[in-house]
């Protein structure tokens, strides 16, 4: 058969998986580990669109699994070696099955953990120990700390974002363990994210390690992890990892994007801590944007940032002491700041940042400041309203009673807060809702 005929061509991972009668993750594993012939439109780029030829796959499959019969019908959900068994290749298929049976029976996956300082101990779902790692520190954070930061974001947890995740990130069918190092006392050795295989082999580690010079001040390369999330950003069935790290004890904050092998493929620097982030398709293009909230130290208020997650680079828009050398302008779609409120000034907060972020079914983006103010935006990032949490009202009342401020909570007060919202348009700050122009 001519390999270029239409009937011979498979145009995506989904079509390849359907032809072979398996799932997409199995196809990824066969390509990585068994040399399955897959072509890319842009050469070796792993993010490029893929295609394959049926006759090449048939020859590879027969050679790899040593089958003796012709190809099975395509498009089914049963693996091809099972179909060949039914066609007369049973002895070969059964031999292959029993060859891998010990490994199948022993593939216990990490599902839980225990911390017994200095050890991290991986457990299976029956709470049986799989393996342990000596982290080298007697003041490793406790089991309760990591339990509060396990798998999912938790607004009441110490770091909000996860510090420990057990998930198949590379599509090989096995569970990897991602562990962010955190200590109780000495934090100079924090800032490392480990990735271990289901058997406890270290696959990679990531650490923010960059010295920044902002005007005349040097910020050292000592960073702590604020947490991370795993999310399939490009739809290939494998998980990218988004990591937040901040300089200790100062303000530069890095948002890094890693591919499943731990290679950094995106990096953004913000002049202030970033806190929570969400993935949501807010522009209707069928792909999730990355929405992040935090603080901007130069302007002392909160920041709300929207990214195309496949294009994260550069830095926040800064000037003076907050503009760092060697950083290009940021690639964000939106960069918004919220004002520094009088309650925060009365409480002597140095900054007034956004801490929590939610996406509602009404297509609202809701952000909550550390002082208790709540800002709502629509999906075009236009401000809808600002409201007071109960904590904010109580703080305002107490400060007013003490004579620390004279403002009155009412409609004019809300308008003044809304009028303090600013948008970076690529060259200047504006009160008009605006995207960042390129």
């Amino acid at each position: 058969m001519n390999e270029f005929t239409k009937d011979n061509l498979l145009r995506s991972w989904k079509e390849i998986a359907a032809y072979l009668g398996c799932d997409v993750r199995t196809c990824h594993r066969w390509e990585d580990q068994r040399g399955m012939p897959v072509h890319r439109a842009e050469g070796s780029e792993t993010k490029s669109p893929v295609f394959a030829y049926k006759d090449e796959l048939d020859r590879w499959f027969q050679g790899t699994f040593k089958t003796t019969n012709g190809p099975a019908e395509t498009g089914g959900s049963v693996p091809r070696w099972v179909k060949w068994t039914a066609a007369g290749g049973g002895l070969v298929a059964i031999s292959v099955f029993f060859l891998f049976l010990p490994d199948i029976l022993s593939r216990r996956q990490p599902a839980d953990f225990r911390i017994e300082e200095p050890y991290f101990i991986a457990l299976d779902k029956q709470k049986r120990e799989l393996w342990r790692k000596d982290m080298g520190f007697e003041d490793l954070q406790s089991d309760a700390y990591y339990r509060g930061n396990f798998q999912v974001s938790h607004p009441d947890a110490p770091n909000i974002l996860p510090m420990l995740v057990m998930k198949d990130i590379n599509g090989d069918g096995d569970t990897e363990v991602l562990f962010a190092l955190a200590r109780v006392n000495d934090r100079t050795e924090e800032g490392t994210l480990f990735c271990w295989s289901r058997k406890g082999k270290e696959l990679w580690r990531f650490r923010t390690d960059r010295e920044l010079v902002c005007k005349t001040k040097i910020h050292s390369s000592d960073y702590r992890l604020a947490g991370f999330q795993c999310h399939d950003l490009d739809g290939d069935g494998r998980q990218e990892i988004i990591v937040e790290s901040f300089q200790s004890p100062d303000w530069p904050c890095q948002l890094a994007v890693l591919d499943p092998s731990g290679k950094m493929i995106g990096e953004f620097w913000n002049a202030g801590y970033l806190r929570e982030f969400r993935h949501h398709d807010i522009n209707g293009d069928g792909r999730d944007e990355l929405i992040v909230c935090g603080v901007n130290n130069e302007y002392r208020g909160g920041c709300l940032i929207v990214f195309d997650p496949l294009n994260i680079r550069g830095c926040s828009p800064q000037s003076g002491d907050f503009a760092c050398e060697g950083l290009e302008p940021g690639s964000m779609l939106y960069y918004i700041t919220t004002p520094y409120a009088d309650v925060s000034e009365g409480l002597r907060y140095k900054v007034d940042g956004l801490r929590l972020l939610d996406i509602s079914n009404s297509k609202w983006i809701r952000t909550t400041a550390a002082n208790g103010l709540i800002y709502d935006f629509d999906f075009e990032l236009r401000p809808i309203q600002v409201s007071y949490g109960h904590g904010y009202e109580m703080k305002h009342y107490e400060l007013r009673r003490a004579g620390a401020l004279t403002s009155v909570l009412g409609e004019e007060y809300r308008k003044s807060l809304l009028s303090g919202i600013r948008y970076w348009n690529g060259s200047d700050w504006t009160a008009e809702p605006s995207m960042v122009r390129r």
Side-chain angles (χ1 to χ4, degrees):
M1 179 186 291
N2 186 332
E3 66 177 14
F4 297 105
T5 61
K6 182 178 180 180
D7 291 341
N8 192 37
L9 183 63
L10 301 169
R11 300 175 181 274
S12 67
W13 282 115
K14 185 176 180 180
E15 290 186 9
I16 295 169
Y19 182 72
L20 293 175
C22 62
D23 58 31
V24 171
R25 289 183 176 182
T26 300
C27 289
H28 287 312
R29 185 169 70 253
W30 284 350
E31 183 200 15
D32 291 340
Q33 301 177 7
R34 294 181 177 274
M36 187 177 77
V38 175
H39 306 278
R40 286 177 167 80
E42 299 174 15
S44 61
E45 293 295 323
T46 57
K47 304 296 182 182
S48 299
V50 300
F51 61 94
Y53 300 110
K54 295 177 183 178
D55 54 354
E56 287 186 354
L57 292 176
D58 289 340
R59 289 193 294 270
W60 166 81
F61 205 103
Q62 289 176 324
T64 300
F65 296 101
K66 295 181 173 61
T67 56
T68 58
N69 295 277
E73 295 179 4
T74 65
S77 60
V78 181
R80 292 170 68 86
W81 68 268
V82 174
K83 296 175 182 177
W84 274 314
T85 300
L91 290 177
V92 174
I94 291 171
S95 298
V96 171
F97 176 78
F98 280 104
L99 177 65
F100 290 104
L101 181 59
D103 189 52
I104 293 171
L105 294 177
S106 65
R107 295 185 83 82
R108 292 160 54 196
Q109 303 286 346
D112 205 342
F113 69 96
R114 189 170 69 248
I115 303 289
E116 294 178 1
E117 54 184 3
Y119 295 102
F120 169 84
I121 304 169
L123 310 174
D124 66 12
K125 61 184 179 181
Q126 280 79 37
K127 310 293 185 182
R128 298 174 297 185
E129 181 173 334
L130 296 175
W131 43 268
R132 60 177 56 202
K133 293 286 181 180
D134 185 347
M135 304 310 299
F137 302 107
E138 296 298 331
D139 63 341
L140 187 65
Q141 279 285 4
S142 67
D143 191 281
Y145 172 90
Y146 279 102
R147 192 71 57 186
N149 291 274
F150 183 40
Q151 300 288 46
V152 297
S153 297
H154 196 306
D156 298 323
N159 277 64
I160 297 180
L161 296 172
M163 296 288 280
L164 172 61
V165 167
M166 296 180 177
K167 193 173 187 177
D168 179 10
I169 65 167
N170 57 18
D172 65 355
D174 287 327
T175 298
E176 284 74 46
V177 176
L178 289 98
F179 178 83
L181 180 63
R183 299 175 63 189
V184 176
N185 300 313
D186 185 359
R187 293 174 173 174
T188 59
E189 296 294 333
E190 293 186 343
T192 303
L193 176 63
F194 296 89
C195 180
W196 297 308
S197 73
R198 72 173 180 88
K199 294 183 178 180
K201 176 184 177 182
E202 183 174 315
L203 300 178
W204 51 264
R205 67 173 66 182
F206 171 78
R207 181 180 178 86
T208 300
D209 188 15
R210 180 169 180 175
E211 184 178 277
L212 289 177
V213 179
C214 303
K215 203 171 184 179
T216 58
K217 184 172 183 179
I218 301 174
H219 299 277
S220 74
S221 58
D222 299 310
Y223 285 81
R224 297 176 58 203
L225 259 67
F228 64 94
Q229 275 188 0
C230 302
H231 193 79
D232 184 1
L233 300 178
D234 54 12
D236 70 348
R238 294 183 281 189
Q239 306 283 310
E240 283 72 37
I241 304 97
I242 305 98
V243 186
E244 282 185 12
S245 303
F246 54 90
Q247 204 272 350
S248 181
D250 226 319
W251 48 259
C253 182
Q254 182 201 54
L255 184 73
V257 183
L258 314 180
D259 71 10
S261 68
K263 177 183 177 183
M264 188 166 69
I265 56 176
E267 177 186 27
F268 179 82
W269 290 90
N270 190 65
Y273 290 1
L274 298 174
R275 295 295 290 169
E276 191 172 16
F277 52 82
R278 301 280 181 177
H279 307 274
H280 199 89
D281 180 12
I282 64 171
N283 61 11
D285 66 354
R287 190 175 68 191
D288 287 349
E289 281 71 49
L290 178 65
I291 305 114
V292 186
C293 72
V295 61
N296 190 298
N297 282 28
E298 180 178 355
Y299 308 107
R300 302 184 70 184
C303 66
L304 179 62
I305 319 169
V306 179
F307 293 99
D308 174 349
L310 300 182
N311 181 24
I312 294 180
R313 55 184 170 78
C315 66
S316 55
Q318 309 298 156
S319 61
D321 293 344
F322 295 88
C324 296
E325 298 176 6
L327 300 180
E328 63 177 316
S331 63
M332 57 276 180
L333 303 175
Y334 291 92
Y335 195 102
I336 302 167
T337 60
T338 55
Y340 180 70
D342 61 351
V343 166
S344 294
E345 186 173 9
L347 293 170
R348 297 184 180 181
Y349 290 173
K350 186 176 181 179
V351 293
D352 186 6
L354 299 175
R355 181 174 182 271
L356 299 177
L357 179 64
D358 288 296
I359 311 294
S360 78
N361 292 331
S362 302
K363 296 187 176 181
W364 284 18
I365 300 172
R366 169 160 291 179
T367 59
T368 304
N371 59 23
L373 279 175
I374 302 169
Y375 292 89
D376 292 314
F377 298 84
D378 65 18
F379 276 11
E380 294 183 355
L381 279 297
R382 295 173 299 199
I384 298 172
Q385 64 182 9
V386 60
S387 53
Y388 323 121
H390 177 69
Y392 190 85
E393 290 181 336
M394 292 300 299
K395 292 169 187 173
H396 186 278
Y397 171 77
E398 292 168 0
L399 289 168
R400 182 177 169 83
R401 186 176 63 175
L405 51 83
T406 60
S407 62
V408 177
L409 296 183
E411 191 58 30
E412 290 303 314
Y413 190 88
R414 296 178 197 272
K415 287 181 179 179
S416 68
L417 290 172
L418 286 173
S419 67
I421 295 172
R422 292 292 181 268
Y423 295 77
W424 179 250
N425 64 14
S427 58
D428 202 359
W429 292 101
T430 176
E432 184 69 22
S434 174
M435 295 183 69
V436 180
R437 294 194 297 267
R438 302 296 168 214

